[in-house]
């Protein structure tokens, strides 16, 4: 019941001079939901709510047994907030030894051909197999064969020859493996 | 006072002042001291309730740990409501206790208290006597709440019968508020109220 009137109240923000109000609303989008100031060391929860990390950390510390979003009361945890990094993030913040550093962002590598586990190739070996789509990855690699990638050793050098040789051996091993899979 | 608490209260105060609820006379907020630790709130009794037309004052104490802990709020205006103590003004409202969330503000809390006046929760009472009357004799509860609103909050509806009974006890030398509490508690039965007062 309380929520109803609250929602109604916030839905219609007070009217005023258009320009200033617009600007203020833009600013408010980047305000921390706890201190109501511009969020510093900003983090965002899975439910999409923005906080300063020190503010959110203190909130989580205040009620360790009931970790909910201060805005929507969705479940929230230290591990599940995402830090936001704007440009020019070099400014030193005042050191707050009580507040631990903000959790780091998680960087997932973009999808790429991953190495074939168990074959242990040396570094610099450019041919690889997509394990996800095996055995199709094998053929993809086959068709790419004559087109060495930029990281490959320069043509004509001993290393290049060696790589080509290894590639061929590996290709045959792979084909045999596929045949074995089919006929075994 | 912790920096964040004072800073936030200042900010909230400004925002409340600009809100349409203040413009519409629904809520009011005033500073009591200069260090932003104590404020006085005011809410209008919601229409179509026994509190309609009344103005209810609230004492607001801001703890040093605000907004990580809720503000301490109680009714200063006496009120007959299942979720408010008729003796102390203490409020039973989940968001002022374990359901507090740091993003709630004085404005949203005042509006929630106003909403509580429209929709009591007799199953989670603060005042057992009032809650019992609310459940068992809703019509009498309504009249009593209206009477209290008239006497203490400036509400428009005067209940002649109740005023007469209070006057009878006053004539016996009983304190006015005490008389009203006793009568309200004993469903306005003069004999039982008198008995209780003199035993
Ligand atoms: Zn903050
Ligand atoms: Zn949320």
């Amino acid at each position: 019941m309380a929520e109803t009137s609250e929602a109604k109240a916030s839905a219609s923000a007070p009217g005023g001079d258009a320009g200033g109000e617009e600007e203020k609303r833009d600013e408010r989008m980047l305000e921390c939901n706890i201190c109501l100031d511009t969020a510093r060391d900003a983090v965002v929860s899975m439910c999409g709510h923005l906080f300063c990390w020190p503010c959110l950390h203190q909130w989580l510390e205040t009620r360790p047994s009931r970790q909910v979003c201060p805005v929507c009361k969705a479940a929230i945890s230290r591990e599940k907030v995402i830090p936001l990094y704007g440009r020019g993030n070099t400014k030193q913040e005042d050191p707050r030894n009580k507040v631990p550093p903000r959790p780091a962002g998680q960087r997932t590598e973009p999808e790429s051909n991953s190495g074939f586990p168990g074959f242990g190739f040396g570094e610099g070996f450019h041919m690889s197999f997509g394990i996800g789509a095996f055995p199709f990855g094998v053929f993809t690699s086959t068709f790419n064969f004559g087109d060495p990638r930029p990281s490959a050793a320069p043509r004509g050098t001993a290393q290049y020859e060696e790589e080509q040789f290894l590639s061929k051996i590996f290709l045959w091993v792979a084909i045999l493996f596929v045949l074995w899979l089919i006929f075994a | 006072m912790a920096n964040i608490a004072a800073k936030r209260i200042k900010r909230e105060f400004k925002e409340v002042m600009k809100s349409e609820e203040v413009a519409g006379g629904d809520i009011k907020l005033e500073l009591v001291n200069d260090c932003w630790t104590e404020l006085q709130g005011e809410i209008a009794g919601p229409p179509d309730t026994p509190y309609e037309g009344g103005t209810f004052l609230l004492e607001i104490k801001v703890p040093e740990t605000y907004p990580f802990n809720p503000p301490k709020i109680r009714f200063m205006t006496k009120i007959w409501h299942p979720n408010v103590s008729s003796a102390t003004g203490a409020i039973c409202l989940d968001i002022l206790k374990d359901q507090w969330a740091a993003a709630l503000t004085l404005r949203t809390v005042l509006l929630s208290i106003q909403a509580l006046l429209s929709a009591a929760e007799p199953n989670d009472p603060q005042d057992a006597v009032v809650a019992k009357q609310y459940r068992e004799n809703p019509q009498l509860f309504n009249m009593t709440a209206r009477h209290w609103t008239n006497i203490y909050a400036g509400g428009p509806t005067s209940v002649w019968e109740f005023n007469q009974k209070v006057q009878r006890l006053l004539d016996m030398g009983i304190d006015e508020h005490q008389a009203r509490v006793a009568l309200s508690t004993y469903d306005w039965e003069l004999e039982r109220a008198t008995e209780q007062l003199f035993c």
Side-chain angles (χ1 to χ4, degrees):
Chain A
M1 98 237 117
E3 276 103 313
T4 324
S5 64
E6 192 184 310
K8 196 185 79 196
S10 57
S12 49
D17 50 313
E21 281 296 321
E22 262 323 294
E23 214 166 84
K24 239 175 225 157
R25 214 162 295 161
D26 284 353
E27 236 170 58
R28 207 168 287 179
M29 305 245 330
L30 301 170
E31 277 172 11
C32 164
N33 280 289
I34 293 177
C35 65
L36 311 182
D37 219 326
T38 308
R40 67 201 154 83
D41 289 345
V43 293
V44 68
S45 59
M46 297 302 269
C47 45
H49 292 115
L50 181 75
F51 308 95
C52 310
W53 169 244
C55 288
L56 185 64
H57 177 259
Q58 198 173 339
W59 170 250
L60 296 175
E61 291 278 289
T62 308
R63 342 200 124 204
S65 58
R66 193 174 156 267
Q67 309 240 305
V68 296
C69 170
V71 181
C72 68
K73 295 183 178 171
I76 197 171
S77 76
R78 187 199 151 80
E79 288 72 33
K80 281 186 180 160
V81 297
I82 300 156
L84 294 180
Y85 304 121
R87 270 196 79 210
N89 210 1
T90 50
K91 200 179 82 192
Q92 275 300 119
E93 295 291 349
D94 53 333
R96 272 151 217 274
N97 18 16
K98 262 164 78 184
V99 171
R102 183 159 56 145
Q106 287 171 16
R107 196 170 175 283
T108 313
E109 289 296 331
E111 285 289 319
S112 67
N113 297 334
S114 50
F116 198 82
F119 279 82
F121 305 126
E123 261 180 271
F125 191 73
H126 67 263
M127 203 176 100
S128 54
F129 284 87
I131 187 155
F134 192 81
F136 306 105
V138 174
F139 297 110
T140 317
S141 301
T142 310
F143 301 131
N144 287 338
F145 192 63
D147 179 27
R149 273 158 245 187
S151 62
R155 221 173 252 274
T157 62
Q159 198 197 343
Y160 177 81
E161 296 302 332
E162 196 177 75
E163 279 182 10
Q164 290 295 312
F165 177 66
L166 280 171
S167 293
K168 271 174 200 158
I169 288 178
F170 185 75
L171 178 64
W172 283 110
V173 168
I175 288 169
L176 286 173
F177 182 55
V178 172
L179 290 175
W180 175 76
L181 274 182
I182 293 167
F183 295 109
Chain B
M1 175 168 225
N3 191 32
I4 179 169
K7 234 170 117 178
R8 216 189 96 146
I9 290 291
K10 272 182 214 173
R11 217 167 246 272
E12 284 189 40
F13 190 76
K14 271 189 213 155
E15 261 180 35
V16 167
M17 287 315 171
K18 282 186 285 180
S19 72
E20 64 171 16
E21 291 88 19
V22 163
D26 260 339
I27 59 171
K28 250 190 217 171
L29 196 58
E30 261 172 50
L31 268 178
V32 172
N33 63 14
D34 290 337
C35 45
W36 303 88
T37 53
E38 205 175 326
L39 297 96
Q40 185 178 286
E42 194 182 304
I43 56 175
D48 305 319
T49 69
Y51 312 103
E52 183 171 9
T55 302
F56 299 86
L57 297 180
L58 296 148
E59 176 190 85
I60 303 170
K61 288 190 170 161
V62 183
E64 219 164 286
T65 50
Y66 186 80
F68 301 102
N69 287 302
K72 291 180 169 59
I73 304 186
R74 68 172 193 94
F75 273 89
M76 288 162 72
T77 305
K78 295 194 186 328
I79 182 170
W80 193 252
H81 186 284
N83 304 110
V84 183
S85 161
S86 57
T88 64
I91 306 167
C92 181
L93 182 61
D94 55 0
I95 59 161
L96 292 177
K97 290 167 187 165
D98 56 322
Q99 291 297 310
W100 168 253
L104 291 168
T105 62
L106 293 180
R107 179 182 150 271
T108 54
V109 166
L110 288 179
L111 291 174
S112 296
I113 294 172
Q114 196 184 37
L116 186 67
L117 297 190
S118 307
E121 290 191 28
N123 296 323
D124 188 19
Q126 177 75 36
D127 196 308
V129 171
V130 184
K132 188 167 177 278
Q133 191 182 64
Y134 180 93
R135 280 193 307 262
E136 293 173 2
N137 200 341
Q139 214 174 342
L140 194 69
F141 162 81
N142 241 282
M143 290 258 283
T144 308
R146 230 172 256 285
H147 170 71
W148 280 54
T149 302
N150 171 241
I151 298 294
Y152 298 115
T157 314
S158 157
V159 185
W160 184 83
E161 185 202 336
F162 291 176
N163 287 337
Q164 289 303 303
K165 287 182 177 171
V166 171
Q167 188 58 48
R168 289 276 294 277
L169 289 177
L170 272 177
D171 293 342
M172 294 182 214
I174 290 163
D175 167 74
E176 185 191 326
H177 180 62
Q178 221 182 334
R180 187 165 290 113
V181 170
L183 286 163
S184 302
T185 301
Y186 292 101
D187 293 345
W188 297 92
E189 288 173 26
L190 196 54
E191 265 171 49
R192 277 173 70 204
T194 318
E195 224 172 82
Q196 189 263 330
L197 284 165
F198 284 102
C199 75

